[in-house]
Amino acid sequence: MRHQQSDMATSNAPGKVYLFGEHAVVYGEPAVPCAIERRATVTVETREDSRLRVSAQDLSLDGFTVEYDGTTAGQPEVDVTEELVEAAMGYVDGAIEQARDAADEPTAGFDVTVESSIPLGAGLGSSAAVVVATIDAAARALGVTLDREELADRAYQVEYEVQAGQASRADTFCSTMGGAVRVEDDDCQTLSSPDLPFVIGYDGGAGDTGALVSGVRALKSEYDFAADTVESIGDLVEQGLETLEDGDIEELGRLMDFNHGLLAALGVSSRSLDSMVWAAREAGATGAKLTGAGGGGCIVALDETDATETALNYSPACEESFRARLDTDGVRREE
Ligand code: PMV
């Protein structure tokens, strides 16, 4: 920790996709999340009093504004669902608590402004990015610069609390460190990776992560071949890690295709995800798969050209597609 004089600070942190391994990671297999060039930026200013005021903007691709005062008073003025506001507030509150704790200033008050270009609730790690950037900026505004290990751990504690114990370290570690990372239970490592030309397709919806995880668990206990499928994903991830080290993009794409097939076998794909995956493949993507919990939300493809993004934009299943290359930077500090 390093102390400095400041009462205002801005930090930003990236979202993520899963290159390989979602769902199987729940059963102790390794997974490889990758940070993407879509960020949440949080500006924090200390207040004279101990209140917390949060305003959030552009939290979806279409953009909307959420503004509310404090943690207790005030009706939020919003055009999004209450659950979304409560969730966003829970993450920011938790992050502020961590910063207060880190700086040993339990009553510090803040004005917090969140701006994000990561679609909310789409499996792209928007909450983790907001939490990482908020803890980092708020701690710095109190004169404390956290090292990245501590930041990642504190961010994980926030997700763990807000998500009632249903959080892995994947999103928060990846967002803090950037690049490709390997996560296996509590063991998190950064990896070296070639530049990955990610293209993301978003169907505008979201799956129910809890229900999808339970569905896989039930399938796994009922059928040995479903349990084998989970293990096969683990094997594929190990192979993917070697391929990443070799920098072989073609082979990475083939493994992504295979990973999608195994996830579909576990029942977590959907019509829109499958159709976006096929639109990407037909456009010439090196590989394509769903990313995150599935059931709806996003796919990730690899394509150096614009063909996949264009094809996805014309696909009826896709609401929005965009390029978001692998981002080797994790949390960034702006002065
Ligand atoms: O949809 P996301 O990005 O929250 O990812 C969920 C990943 C799962 O493996 C399905 C669940 C988990 O907690 O790891």
Side-chain angles (χ1 to χ4, degrees):
M1 279 188 201
R2 174 166 66 85
H3 291 267
Q4 63 187 32
Q5 285 308 311
S6 168
D7 63 357
M8 187 173 173
T10 300
S11 299
N12 62 64
K16 66 99 201 19
V17 292
Y18 274 94
L19 184 60
F20 304 117
E22 53 274 88
H23 284 286
V25 72
V26 174
Y27 309 100
E29 303 291 348
V32 184
C34 291
I36 54 169
E37 286 173 329
R38 281 262 166 164
R39 288 182 169 254
T41 300
V42 179
T43 297
V44 169
E45 197 167 359
T46 49
R47 293 171 61 105
E48 302 274 302
D49 58 24
S50 57
R51 295 193 72 208
L52 177 63
R53 179 193 155 89
V54 182
S55 59
Q57 288 163 7
D58 305 325
L59 282 170
S60 82
L61 280 181
D62 298 331
F64 57 76
T65 303
V66 184
E67 192 158 334
Y68 51 89
D69 279 314
T71 52
T72 47
Q75 279 292 103
E77 254 187 51
V78 290
D79 60 356
V80 292
T81 62
E82 223 170 279
E83 296 87 73
L84 219 53
V85 177
E86 270 170 27
M89 226 168 129
Y91 288 112
V92 175
D93 283 353
I96 291 296
E97 273 309 313
Q98 287 292 336
R100 284 172 173 153
D101 181 62
D104 202 14
E105 294 211 34
T107 57
F110 297 97
D111 287 335
V112 180
T113 307
V114 180
E115 282 173 89
S116 174
S117 60
I118 309 164
L120 209 59
L124 297 180
S126 56
S127 59
V130 168
V131 169
V132 168
T134 305
I135 298 175
D136 192 69
R140 286 196 303 122
L142 294 176
V144 175
T145 301
L146 297 172
D147 66 49
R148 295 200 303 172
E149 278 70 24
E150 181 176 352
L151 177 60
D153 188 59
R154 286 188 179 273
Y156 165 67
Q157 302 304 333
V158 174
E159 289 226 316
Y160 188 86
E161 275 161 37
V162 176
Q163 295 164 203
Q166 298 288 314
S168 85
R169 290 182 181 273
D171 287 23
T172 41
F173 184 76
C174 187
S175 184
T176 306
M177 303 296 174
V181 304
R182 180 189 194 277
V183 176
E184 182 177 347
D185 294 322
D186 281 346
D187 178 30
C188 303
Q189 293 164 28
T190 54
L191 303 170
S192 60
S193 161
D195 183 20
L196 299 174
F198 291 132
V199 178
I200 289 158
Y202 175 39
D203 71 4
D208 177 339
T209 304
L212 290 153
V213 170
S214 310
V216 172
R217 191 180 298 280
L219 216 54
K220 194 173 161 292
S221 63
E222 192 173 353
Y223 299 107
D224 285 347
F225 48 80
D228 293 345
T229 303
V230 168
E231 273 183 40
S232 295
I233 293 176
D235 294 345
L236 183 150
V237 174
E238 295 294 6
Q239 190 153 337
L241 285 161
E242 284 172 29
T243 309
L244 201 61
E245 212 171 296
D246 296 343
D248 185 344
I249 306 271
E250 289 291 324
E251 179 66 7
L252 280 178
R254 269 196 293 278
L255 293 173
M256 288 169 73
D257 286 342
F258 212 118
N259 198 165
H260 182 77
L262 295 174
L263 288 165
L266 293 174
V268 299
S269 191
S270 70
R271 184 186 285 261
S272 59
L273 294 173
D274 283 344
S275 89
M276 290 192 289
V277 159
W278 278 107
R281 289 175 184 163
E282 283 169 7
T286 315
K289 63 181 277 294
L290 69 83
T291 172
C298 292
I299 65 132
V300 57
L302 286 182
D303 190 353
E304 206 45 81
T305 76
D306 292 337
T308 296
E309 191 182 342
T310 307
L312 283 169
N313 272 329
Y314 283 106
S315 161
C318 182
E319 189 173 294
E320 192 97 34
S321 79
F322 53 91
R323 175 170 294 287
R325 305 187 83 94
L326 177 73
D327 196 334
T328 50
D329 278 357
V331 66
R332 274 194 213 135
R333 288 152 185 165
E334 299 170 22
E335 288 315 320

